[in-house]
Amino acid sequence: MTIRSGSCLCGKSHFALDDEQPTVAICHCTHCQKSTSSAYSVNAISPRAKLTVSGPLKKFADKGDSGGAVDRWFCADCGSQVWTEAEAMPGAAIVKAGCFDDTSWLKPTLEIYCDSRQKWTPLVEGAASFAKMPG
Ligand SMILES: [Zn+2]
Ligand SMILES: [Zn+2]
């Protein structure tokens, strides 16, 4: 059992993920670009039951390109995105990987929504890439 801890920038929102090796995926979608104000998001995907979260989280009710709900949970105090739930991925917790205390283990194996990838960002060697969401 490996507990991976993390927090938002201000430290009021915390989480613990009980997962040795979550699937790590880079998302190049335009919503991730805007919501992170960066080129892409890095996500650790695990079963929802493995994630424990606490703190002043607030939800932004976003929608995916299929029209399904995407609930983006962020710290109400500092604004860091902490985790996301997507109707298209039932039962999964999508943890925003930049919030882990230790990020040394992250190794993206998937890149999604490469259609909207900012072209100066290199693709991760060995990662599978998809134009949109893999089926
Ligand atoms: Zn915070
Ligand atoms: Zn995205």
Side-chain angles (χ1 to χ4, degrees):
M1 168 171 113
T2 304
I3 305 285
R4 301 195 179 282
S5 64
S7 73
C8 63
L9 180 58
C10 79
K12 289 186 188 123
S13 299
H14 294 266
F15 63 86
L17 185 68
D18 178 6
D19 196 350
E20 166 90 36
Q21 194 50 263
T23 299
V24 179
I26 287 178
C27 184
H28 295 279
C29 84
T30 55
H31 288 211
C32 283
Q33 289 177 2
K34 287 230 176 189
S35 66
T36 60
S37 64
S38 187
Y40 53 79
S41 69
V42 186
N43 306 279
I45 304 165
S46 291
R48 172 66 185 93
K50 293 184 178 284
L51 178 69
T52 313
V53 214
S54 63
L57 292 171
K58 208 177 155 194
K59 179 177 91 177
F60 173 62
D62 197 7
K63 285 219 183 304
D65 59 2
S66 58
V70 177
D71 291 341
R72 296 177 178 271
W73 293 94
F74 61 95
C75 176
D77 277 7
C78 69
S80 296
Q81 288 194 56
V82 176
W83 75 289
T84 295
E85 272 177 301
E87 216 175 333
M89 297 178 62
I94 303 163
V95 180
K96 296 299 171 184
C99 288
F100 283 104
D101 295 327
D102 172 17
T103 53
S104 63
W105 57 275
L106 291 168
K107 190 178 184 304
T109 56
L110 281 175
E111 299 204 52
I112 64 172
Y113 289 99
C114 290
D115 270 2
S116 48
R117 179 172 68 95
Q118 295 187 16
K119 296 309 174 211
W120 53 270
T121 58
L123 287 164
V124 175
E125 212 182 309
S129 58
F130 298 88
K132 297 200 183 301
M133 181 85 150

